[in-house]
Amino acid sequence: MGRRARDRRRQQQQRQERGGDGGGGDQAGWAGGYPEIVKENELFERYYRELGIVPASEWGAFMAALREPLPATLRITGYRSHAKEVLHCLKEKYFKELQDLEVDGQKVEMPQSLSWYPEELAWHTNLSRKILRKSPQLEKFHQFLVSETECGNISRQEAVSMIPPLLLNVNPHHKILDMCAAPGSKTAQLIEMLHADMNVPFPKGFVIANDVDNKRCYLLVHQAKRLNSPCIMVVNHDASSIPNLQIDVDGRKEVLFYDRILCDVPCSGDGTMRKNIDVWKKWTTQNSLQLHGLQLRIATRGVEQLAEGGRMVYSTCSLNPIENEAVIASLLEKSQGALELADVSSELPGLKRMPGITKWKVMLKDGQWFEEWKDVPSNRQTQIRPTMFPVKDEEKLKAMNLERCLRILPHHQNTGGFFVAVLIKKSPMPWNKRQPKVHQKLPQRTGDTEGTAANSDNGPECITEEPTLAENEESKKMQELQNSDTEQSKKEGVCGPPPSKKMKLFGFKEDPFVFLPEDDPLFLPIQKFYALDPSFPKMNLLTRTQEGKKRQLYMVSKELRNVLLNNSEKMKVINTGIKVWSRNSDGEQFGCAFRLAQEGIYTLYPFIHARIINVCIEDVKILLTQENPFLSKFSSETQKKVKDMAMGSIVLKYDPDPEKPDDLQCPIVLCGWQGKTSLRAFVPKNERLHYLRMMGVEVFKAKRKEEESENKTAEEVQHRLAQTEERMDVEDKEQDLVTKMEAEIGEESSHSPVESSAMEVENKTEDLDQSSKNATSHVNQESKDTDTSNGKD
């Protein structure tokens, strides 16, 4: 039993001994027996009443909404054709089963699509997490959500968290920076937008996803890898000083400027009170005062790296103008016209929003108000800074158009609270105008293709653009203040960076990224065996080892390869690329030592011209439900196709038939293995279940037998469900932390095939058990960090 599960059991026993339910009931929104938190905070109410952010006539509705549990929301992810099939399955099967259903005497409201999210791909329901987990009537629906989330087809993401990526207006050719990316739900949206056309395996754009917390970067990797994109790179830097990168443009080095930047900064998180109920007792104005400087530095660094004509979205899950309008106003003022707020009032029709405000005051945690900087006594000037106050010059204030900012209030559409501002860069920042562009002629490379993009934390300093001119001294002071206050902020529930004293100097050691040399003999048999198209970008293949046998081959886009080769000493890269081939010990006797990997098959498929077998839907069902079926079980057409084909790795392709609308209407590409007398699919378990659901095959298995549930108390059943979900989460994350040795592919083998991840290190079989224990320990700590984390979604 895990530590968290034991804590839950102990708390439940304590509640029983007290003779009552101290867990806060549904209001807590969790299945555990936590002490009840009173949803009252006098300072919070006084502060926001005085600021007038919420219309006086709506104050009662606003506070009532904050005290209600946040409804569950989900977003359907992935390629559009696959997403539409998941949507069809949800609407025609699972949502229909919820009709006229009652849970604890209350009728379950039918899920509703978010009117402002495109193509009905986002939904919300009144079911809290606790209800979903504990109710036997909802068990099938809950298992569907858990399983589809694990394989990346559904993201259980807060509704307001979906807004910033939509307002970025991403196109497949855009270079994107996500500055504070973990845990990764918004990053996933950005990746999906790059792959809007699934017929283009390598979009010209890419996403560089950054986070300051090394451990949370691995959670980010886990989220991003579900989408199997060669266009994502996860890096580990302080967003306020993230290095300038360089790229090779026609033989010379130029600074990389991003077309789109998502700046979802750490915040006090008072917009998340409905799900993070600890904020009720921990909220104080001090949180926003401590974070303002950090938020301004991150936003400043963001606009410095934004291309002219580019768009940056600044967002927080806070309602506080000190973290919102004050940051934007300060940024606009010192930009001297280089930035402007975009008018997005016509975008996302159906989204209810409040305009940004132009007047506000600053309050200390003791309740003392200040309207202007000149009123602040000298002994308070380290806590309160000039940039926290609104601009007094009416002409300047009018030109800023702060009303173009968006503030989402919880009671308007049953969501959390949120703030968004969309900035357009019209010209270079004034403090960068004097800095010449980098046009450094690159030396001729003799072994360019075999360059190693190794991680180095001790490399030379990057070329940086000065953050400010007059603001430099203030930034230094704010940095000192932030360093001293971060530990206290964390204790008070502030969504800030972790204390530096607890950060490991280098985090986890990463393997190098080694691109395959152009003349590497390893590639020729692969090219011949799969009849790869001449256009196949073999220069983009890489491994994670410099010595010994290459066990896995990964792939990145041409643009990310450019970034890796030119910035290896500046960046701490946590992960990039998708696995496309895995070494098979028996493969050489069949003509190729590498079998296809399901993770990268949608990227590889357009370049493969041999060993492709088109199968019907009944064949797909056999492949996904039977471990190693004999050839005789397949359709006669499939048997004919494989009759004269040599043994080894194959591609199994299903194309939908428009004349059979009841069948699955999206294409499926599976990795398989043809033996002497059998045909099998190498697909991870969660993906198998996903495809079977889409084909209408019932895959639900009860987590407990009926006769057992009759003899258990409600609390025991609830405890078992919580344990099951926790174990599923841990097992799923272990796939990204521990190598699971490949199953034998020979005809006699009965082991299930397992796909490993690009961040894994090859281990020997005898080391696996110990590694699993270590990984479980790491994941448990990661889960704890995630569960107790801030307002970021």
Side-chain angles (χ1 to χ4, degrees):
M1 185 185 296
R3 173 174 50 78
R4 291 166 61 201
R6 287 197 300 271
D7 288 345
R8 284 197 199 97
R9 172 62 64 86
R10 185 167 56 252
Q11 288 163 347
Q12 289 167 353
Q13 289 172 346
Q14 289 171 353
R15 285 192 294 123
Q16 286 178 328
E17 291 168 4
R18 289 196 299 268
D21 183 359
D26 280 357
Q27 292 184 357
W30 301 98
Y34 296 99
E36 183 174 2
I37 292 177
V38 178
K39 296 182 179 179
E40 299 286 346
N41 189 307
E42 185 181 345
L43 189 67
F44 174 86
E45 293 196 41
R46 179 185 165 193
Y47 182 73
Y48 281 111
R49 271 185 184 274
E50 184 73 19
L51 289 179
I53 286 174
V54 181
S57 60
E58 299 178 20
W59 182 259
F62 169 71
M63 291 303 298
L66 284 180
R67 294 186 175 103
E68 288 296 315
L70 189 69
T73 52
L74 59 91
R75 184 174 60 81
I76 301 167
T77 68
Y79 292 128
R80 278 292 177 264
S81 61
H82 284 236
K84 287 177 181 176
E85 286 300 315
V86 176
L87 175 62
H88 178 77
C89 183
L90 265 175
K91 291 170 71 173
E92 298 303 316
K93 178 176 173 60
Y94 292 96
F95 288 169
K96 283 187 176 180
E97 291 177 0
L98 298 179
Q99 288 180 342
D100 305 320
L101 190 64
E102 287 191 4
V103 176
D104 293 344
Q106 290 187 340
K107 185 177 178 181
V108 174
E109 294 179 18
M110 285 298 294
Q112 300 293 320
S113 64
L114 300 180
S115 60
W116 46 268
Y117 201 96
E119 301 183 56
E120 288 190 311
L121 293 177
W123 294 73
H124 73 96
T125 170
N126 68 332
L127 299 171
S128 69
R129 291 184 181 183
K130 179 181 177 181
I131 293 294
L132 275 171
R133 285 173 173 169
K134 79 171 188 177
S135 172
Q137 302 104 300
L138 297 171
E139 189 174 24
K140 188 182 293 188
F141 181 47
H142 181 228
Q143 193 177 109
F144 168 80
L145 293 179
V146 170
S147 180
E148 290 297 308
T149 299
E150 286 175 348
C151 56
N153 298 304
I154 281 180
S155 173
R156 285 184 281 181
Q157 180 181 358
E158 189 176 346
V160 289
S161 173
M162 305 174 193
I163 297 171
L166 292 177
L167 290 178
L168 269 178
N169 288 352
V170 170
N171 288 319
H173 66 275
H174 282 151
K175 296 181 283 290
I176 307 166
L177 173 64
D178 190 349
M179 300 187 76
C180 308
S185 54
K186 298 181 186 70
T187 309
Q189 276 181 273
L190 298 174
I191 298 170
E192 291 165 31
M193 293 171 184
L194 285 183
H195 292 275
D197 184 354
M198 70 177 294
N199 294 316
V200 179
F202 292 103
K204 291 185 178 179
F206 56 79
V207 177
I208 294 180
N210 173 71
D211 202 83
V212 68
D213 188 326
N214 185 266
K215 285 186 291 184
R216 283 168 66 85
C217 280
Y218 290 91
L219 181 60
L220 178 56
V221 169
H222 174 72
Q223 289 275 61
K225 287 192 71 62
R226 294 170 175 174
L227 296 167
N228 298 332
S229 170
C231 305
I232 169 74
M233 179 188 293
V234 176
V235 298
N236 180 202
H237 291 279
D238 178 353
S240 64
S241 58
I242 191 168
N244 275 346
L245 303 183
Q246 296 178 1
I247 53 175
D248 178 358
V249 180
D250 297 327
R252 66 181 182 226
K253 280 190 176 181
E254 291 190 357
V255 174
L256 171 61
F257 289 100
Y258 300 94
D259 303 301
R260 299 288 186 266
I261 294 180
L262 178 56
C263 187
D264 186 50
V265 297
C267 66
S268 61
D270 60 20
T272 68
M273 282 179 156
R274 300 182 68 178
K275 67 172 185 177
N276 296 334
I277 58 175
D278 278 356
V279 178
W280 280 98
K281 65 179 182 180
K282 294 178 179 178
W283 188 92
T284 168
T285 56
Q286 191 68 19
N287 297 346
S288 58
L289 299 181
Q290 289 170 347
L291 285 165
H292 170 86
L294 175 65
Q295 293 162 337
L296 181 54
R297 288 196 303 279
I298 293 174
T300 300
R301 190 68 188 124
V303 294
E304 285 176 347
Q305 299 203 329
L306 188 63
E308 290 181 43
R311 176 178 280 216
M312 183 176 93
V313 170
Y314 175 90
S315 62
T316 73
C317 43
S318 168
L319 300 173
N320 201 322
I322 306 302
E323 303 177 61
N324 298 325
E325 283 92 347
V327 173
I328 297 300
S330 178
L331 199 57
L332 289 170
E333 186 174 28
K334 66 182 181 180
S335 79
Q336 299 176 20
L339 299 173
E340 72 171 2
L341 272 170
D343 182 0
V344 293
S345 57
S346 62
E347 298 183 35
L348 306 187
L351 176 67
K352 297 176 183 176
R353 62 196 93 183
M354 295 290 287
I357 61 174
T358 56
K359 304 292 183 185
W360 62 88
K361 299 184 290 184
V362 179
M363 186 171 77
L364 290 172
K365 63 180 179 181
D366 61 6
Q368 187 178 4
W369 287 98
F370 299 99
E371 295 198 23
E372 295 185 58
W373 165 247
K374 64 182 179 63
D375 299 332
V376 180
S378 58
N379 66 335
R380 297 293 193 181
Q381 289 184 3
T382 55
Q383 294 174 278
I384 299 178
R385 303 302 298 155
T387 53
M388 297 177 182
F389 292 89
V391 175
K392 291 298 178 185
D393 187 317
E394 290 296 331
E395 229 176 272
K396 276 188 181 179
L397 190 62
K398 186 178 180 182
M400 287 180 179
N401 295 310
L402 289 178
E403 70 280 354
R404 291 180 177 177
C405 300
L406 282 67
R407 182 174 274 101
I408 312 298
L409 297 180
H411 62 292
H412 282 168
Q413 50 215 330
N414 199 13
T415 64
F418 212 70
F419 175 88
V420 187
V422 182
L423 293 157
I424 305 293
K425 188 172 181 179
K426 299 167 66 178
S427 61
M429 304 307 289
W431 55 90
N432 295 148
K433 285 182 179 177
R434 291 187 298 277
Q435 180 162 336
K437 288 186 178 180
V438 177
H439 287 300
Q440 178 185 344
K441 192 72 177 177
L442 291 175
Q444 289 294 322
R445 282 192 220 257
T446 54
D448 182 33
T449 58
E450 49 189 312
T452 299
N455 293 291
S456 171
D457 292 291
N458 299 316
E461 288 296 319
C462 63
I463 298 174
T464 58
E465 300 176 4
E466 292 298 322
T468 59
L469 294 175
E471 299 282 339
N472 266 346
E473 288 304 314
E474 179 183 332
S475 294
K476 289 177 183 176
K477 289 179 182 178
M478 289 304 296
Q479 181 67 56
E480 292 170 6
L481 176 65
Q482 183 63 34
N483 290 341
S484 64
D485 287 338
T486 301
E487 180 64 35
Q488 183 62 28
S489 300
K490 194 168 183 70
K491 290 178 181 176
E492 293 177 359
V494 179
C495 170
S500 57
K501 65 181 181 181
K502 291 188 179 179
M503 286 287 288
K504 293 185 178 180
L505 185 59
F506 298 110
F508 296 97
K509 180 174 173 59
E510 295 300 325
D511 293 328
F513 297 86
V514 185
F515 285 95
L516 244 61
E518 189 173 2
D519 57 351
D520 195 315
L522 180 139
F523 181 72
L524 194 59
I526 295 175
Q527 186 178 37
K528 184 178 179 182
F529 190 73
Y530 296 102
L532 295 179
D533 194 90
S535 67
F536 178 77
K538 62 181 179 181
M539 305 277 283
N540 301 347
L541 286 173
L542 59 87
T543 65
R544 300 298 301 269
T545 179
Q546 288 176 301
E547 299 176 358
K549 266 192 173 183
K550 299 174 178 67
R551 293 189 57 81
Q552 316 283 358
L553 296 182
Y554 307 98
M555 199 159 200
V556 294
S557 65
K558 179 179 71 174
E559 289 73 20
L560 274 188
R561 179 183 186 275
N562 192 344
V563 173
L564 269 172
L565 285 176
N566 289 291
N567 300 278
S568 62
E569 294 182 340
K570 296 177 184 179
M571 295 189 303
K572 183 179 177 186
V573 180
I574 299 297
N575 188 266
T576 192
I578 53 169
K579 185 170 66 175
V580 287
W581 280 290
S582 293
R583 183 178 289 276
N584 167 34
S585 56
D586 297 327
E588 290 184 18
Q589 61 180 299
F590 304 125
C592 182
F594 286 84
R595 69 171 180 84
L596 297 163
Q598 183 67 27
E599 185 179 319
I601 191 59
Y602 284 96
T603 299
L604 275 186
Y605 176 74
F607 301 100
I608 297 175
H609 294 308
R611 305 195 62 76
I612 298 174
I613 299 174
N614 289 91
V615 291
C616 64
I617 195 164
E618 294 305 321
D619 288 339
V620 176
K621 290 177 183 178
I622 293 170
L623 286 163
L624 296 178
T625 54
Q626 299 184 33
E627 179 55 38
N628 203 11
F630 288 108
L631 288 172
S632 57
K633 293 187 176 182
F634 294 94
S635 64
S636 56
E637 290 81 2
T638 298
Q639 292 183 48
K640 287 177 186 176
K641 290 171 187 173
V642 301
K643 184 178 179 183
D644 298 322
M645 192 176 288
M647 291 173 59
S649 186
I650 55 172
V651 178
L652 299 157
K653 175 74 185 297
Y654 164 76
D655 287 307
D657 185 349
E659 296 182 3
K660 297 180 179 178
D662 292 337
D663 284 353
L664 185 68
Q665 289 299 303
C666 71
I668 296 178
V669 183
L670 305 176
C671 292
W673 183 270
Q674 180 192 343
K676 286 181 181 178
T677 58
S678 65
L679 196 63
R680 71 188 314 189
F682 275 80
V683 183
K685 178 183 175 182
N686 285 328
E687 281 193 52
R688 287 175 180 251
L689 296 179
H690 161 70
Y691 288 128
L692 288 170
R693 283 192 194 95
M694 297 307 102
M695 291 184 289
V697 178
E698 183 60 70
V699 295
F700 173 73
K701 291 183 180 179
K703 295 176 186 172
R704 58 193 182 280
K705 296 178 182 177
E706 286 186 16
E707 57 270 20
E708 289 178 343
S709 64
E710 290 173 359
N711 299 324
K712 291 181 181 290
T713 65
E715 283 196 358
E716 286 174 325
V717 173
Q718 177 180 312
H719 170 66
R720 183 169 178 178
L721 282 170
Q723 264 192 305
T724 302
E725 180 152 318
E726 181 179 355
R727 185 171 64 251
M728 289 177 73
D729 289 342
V730 169
E731 289 172 353
D732 191 59
K733 289 176 184 176
E734 280 181 8
Q735 291 179 14
D736 280 319
L737 297 169
V738 179
T739 298
K740 293 184 178 179
M741 301 304 291
E742 289 182 11
E744 286 294 325
I745 303 181
E747 290 294 308
E748 301 81 13
S749 171
S750 61
H751 299 294
S752 298
V754 179
E755 295 292 341
S756 53
S757 129
M759 64 176 284
E760 296 172 62
V761 181
E762 294 300 326
N763 295 320
K764 295 180 181 178
T765 308
E766 56 267 25
D767 293 335
L768 185 59
D769 292 339
Q770 185 59 42
S771 299
S772 298
K773 292 176 184 176
N774 295 338
T776 304
S777 173
H778 171 68
V779 170
N780 284 340
Q781 182 61 42
E782 179 187 87
S783 300
K784 178 184 176 185
D785 293 340
T786 307
D787 288 344
T788 59
S789 72
N790 45 61
K792 282 203 67 177
D793 210 356

